[in-house]
Amino acid sequence: MNRPLAGYSHDYARGHDTGLHHHAKAQLLYATQGAMRVETETTDYVVPAGRALWMPAGWAHRVRMAGAVAMRALFLREDAARVGPAAPTAFPVPPLLRELILAACAMPLEWDEAGRGAHLAALILDEIAGAVALPLGVPAPRDARLRRLAETLRANPADDRTLEQWGEAVGASGRTLARLFLRDTGLSFAGWRQALRLAEASALLAEGMPPARVAARVGYASAPAFGAAYRTAFGVTPRGRGTIGATAALAGR
């Protein structure tokens, strides 16, 4: 690839796992269908259709497909990648950027730098430069006891055990776990669990699950309580697949 950017199209089956890897070029991970779980050394992301994750060059990551995923990604050369953040960042994909990504994926790798491809690339870079970050990342704890706790909660976000009860399960006092959460993630246990629940909720909404069912699945006592937390985090009301479009429209204003 000897162009500022190139598109990459591939459809993946549910459960496909890329394994830990990195790229020499920056990558914009995007899917028109399905949700991706992206793990880095410091943060885990749930990236549903309609949202994208910026991955800087050289940044180790692992992608697992939460369902059937239609990936339409971009790879950016070093000079072009300077428009993006220095660390992995999630952001919504408004309609214009979506169509630009699809157009880039349809172009040959060696597109005409004096023709249409150059105009598309310039617009894409402008959209990435102006993208609004979304709080889709959940800090990954380092402590082994916290990792066991985190794995259990990812499997069942509705688990409402207190830190003292978790301490009995993983072999530490509640006070120790509270201190470790702040040290490893920068968040309190309650803040970290809320971030996890909202990230998992985004994946379920992308799959078309009704918001009331999502609220129960991720541990909210009521649909209104879930809706309020979701609006606070993302600025829109949870509405299944429609939420993605609403979020994208909001970011495009």
Side-chain angles (χ1 to χ4, degrees), residues 4-190:
L5 59 82
Y8 172 79
S9 301
H10 195 84
D11 295 342
Y12 293 94
R14 176 187 293 273
H16 179 84
D17 187 337
T18 66
L20 189 66
H21 66 288
H22 67 273
H23 304 288
K25 293 179 172 61
Q27 184 181 22
L28 184 69
L29 281 158
Y30 172 70
T32 59
Q33 174 188 323
M36 298 174 284
R37 296 181 181 276
V38 185
E39 301 172 12
T40 71
E41 183 179 342
T42 60
T43 310
D44 298 331
Y45 300 86
V46 176
V47 188
R51 296 173 188 174
L53 181 66
W54 173 262
M55 188 63 61
W59 205 289
H61 61 286
R62 173 187 182 190
V63 185
R64 291 183 292 158
M65 311 307 165
V69 170
M71 184 183 288
R72 303 295 181 263
L74 299 175
F75 286 94
L76 288 82
R77 201 170 61 192
E78 182 180 3
D79 54 337
R82 294 186 188 123
V83 302
T89 304
F91 53 82
V93 176
L96 174 59
L97 181 55
R98 178 185 186 278
E99 295 306 317
L100 289 169
I101 292 171
L102 295 181
C105 288
M107 293 194 303
L109 288 178
E110 300 295 323
W111 42 264
D112 182 4
E113 292 188 277
R116 178 172 179 265
H119 300 299
L120 290 174
L123 280 172
I124 288 170
L125 297 181
D126 190 57
E127 287 289 296
I128 293 173
V132 178
L134 284 175
L136 290 180
V138 181
R142 301 188 304 273
D143 183 85
R145 292 161 294 186
L146 295 192
R147 289 201 300 270
R148 293 201 300 274
L149 185 161
E151 288 168 6
T152 304
L153 270 177
R154 284 193 188 93
N156 179 21
D159 192 322
D160 62 356
R161 276 179 280 184
T162 66
L163 267 185
E164 288 70 24
Q165 291 169 321
W166 279 112
E168 294 176 5
V170 302
S173 69
R175 180 175 297 180
T176 295
L177 293 182
R179 177 177 54 79
L180 291 173
F181 261 106
L182 282 173
R183 185 198 71 182
D184 284 9
T185 72
L187 299 172
S188 67
F189 171 64

Side-chain angles (χ1 to χ4, degrees), residues 164-240:
E164 288 70 24
Q165 291 169 321
W166 279 112
E168 294 176 5
V170 302
S173 69
R175 180 175 297 180
T176 295
L177 293 182
R179 177 177 54 79
L180 291 173
F181 261 106
L182 282 173
R183 185 198 71 182
D184 284 9
T185 72
L187 299 172
S188 67
F189 171 64
W192 182 89
R193 183 167 58 183
Q194 169 136 311
L196 174 72
R197 285 175 169 175
L198 291 175
E200 295 299 324
S202 294
L204 295 173
L205 290 167
E207 293 174 9
M209 185 178 289
R213 284 185 59 198
V214 172
R217 179 74 68 86
V218 301
Y220 283 88
S222 67
F226 167 61
Y230 199 92
R231 283 192 300 274
T232 298
F234 301 120
V236 293
T237 300
R239 290 182 302 192

